[in-house]
Amino acid sequence: KGRFMVVDSGNQTLTLFENGRPYDMMKVVAGKTDSPTPMIGSIMYYMVYNPYWNAPDNLVRKIAQNYLNLGDSYLKTRGYQVMKDWTSASEVLPSDQVNWKAVATGTERIRIRQKPSDDNSMGDLKFPFPNDQDIFLHDTPQRSYFAPASRILSNGCVRLEDPRRLARCLVGPGAV
C-alpha cells in the first residue's frame, strides 16, 4: 500500500505506483557498464530546485585535464568552482591554488561543483535520497539522451525524462 517508484535500469524506465498499481511511467537514462546504476532501496524526503552539481572523482580528473589544456576559461564558461572542502559552508578556492597535474592523475583529490544554470548537469531538479553511493534522480540539459531505445549513458545516477511531472506526482500540482 501507499506510493512508491521503481527505477528499472535494465529497461531504463521509472514507474510510479499507488496502492500497488502503476499509474505513471517515464524514460530514464541509467548508468553505463563501467558506472552502472546500483540497486538501492530508500525513502525520498525532499527535492532540490536549481541544484549545484558536485562532480564525481572520475570526472574531476577529466575537468583537471581540460583545465591544463584550456586554463581558467574552461572553468568559467561551464560555471565550475573549486571548493575548499566538502562542508556546506565551504568557500571557493582560487584555481591557482590547485595542483592541476596531481588532480588530473588522481594523486590529489579536490571538490569541483557546477553552479546552477541552464548547462548544469543536474538540470533544474534533483531528487536525492539516503544511500551510501551518492546516487540520485535528476533532470538533465541533454534532452537528446532520451531518443535512443538504449539509454545507458550516465555515470550511475538516474536522469529523468520529465522531472517536473515526477515532482507533481510526488508533491502535488503546485510543485512546479
Side-chain angles (χ1 to χ4, degrees):
K1 297 254 176 190
R3 293 174 33 186
F4 62 94
M5 69 181 92
V6 173
V7 172
D8 182 337
S9 57
N11 289 331
Q12 300 105 56
T13 58
L14 178 146
T15 306
L16 292 152
F17 292 84
E18 187 160 6
N19 297 321
R21 294 188 167 183
Y23 71 93
D24 200 356
M25 180 183 279
M26 70 179 69
K27 295 177 184 177
V28 301
V29 173
K32 297 179 271 193
T33 306
D34 62 342
S35 56
T37 300
M39 188 178 302
I40 298 172
S42 188
I43 298 173
M44 188 178 294
Y45 294 100
Y46 63 98
M47 60 187 155
V48 179
Y49 291 96
N50 299 317
Y52 282 95
W53 174 60
N54 289 292
D57 284 337
N58 65 318
L59 296 181
V60 167
R61 289 190 296 275
K62 290 178 184 178
I63 292 168
Q65 188 59 57
N66 286 329
Y67 178 87
L68 290 170
N69 295 332
L70 303 170
D72 272 335
S73 66
Y74 177 78
L75 300 179
K76 288 179 183 166
T77 60
R78 286 159 181 78
Y80 291 146
Q81 299 175 311
V82 180
M83 304 307 293
K84 186 174 181 179
D85 56 43
W86 282 90
T87 64
S88 60
S90 182
E91 299 173 11
V92 175
L93 188 67
S95 59
D96 62 359
Q97 294 183 22
V98 174
N99 180 344
W100 290 101
K101 287 183 182 179
V103 174
T105 61
T107 56
E108 191 172 308
R109 294 180 65 208
I110 62 170
R111 175 183 171 197
I112 294 181
R113 75 176 183 186
Q114 187 179 35
K115 295 185 280 187
S117 71
D118 289 342
D119 296 327
N120 180 295
S121 294
M122 296 289 104
D124 294 332
L125 287 166
K126 174 181 170 182
F127 300 85
F129 48 89
N131 68 87
D132 60 0
Q133 298 178 54
D134 202 27
I135 297 294
F136 37 84
L137 310 178
H138 66 85
D139 187 10
T140 182
Q142 288 91 12
R143 306 313 305 165
S144 62
Y145 283 5
F146 297 99
S150 177
R151 297 175 300 280
I152 305 292
L153 303 165
S154 84
N155 291 300
C157 286
V158 177
R159 296 176 187 215
L160 301 164
E161 176 184 36
D162 194 342
R164 291 179 179 276
R165 190 169 87 223
L166 177 61
R168 288 189 299 272
C169 289
L170 297 176
V171 181
V176 287

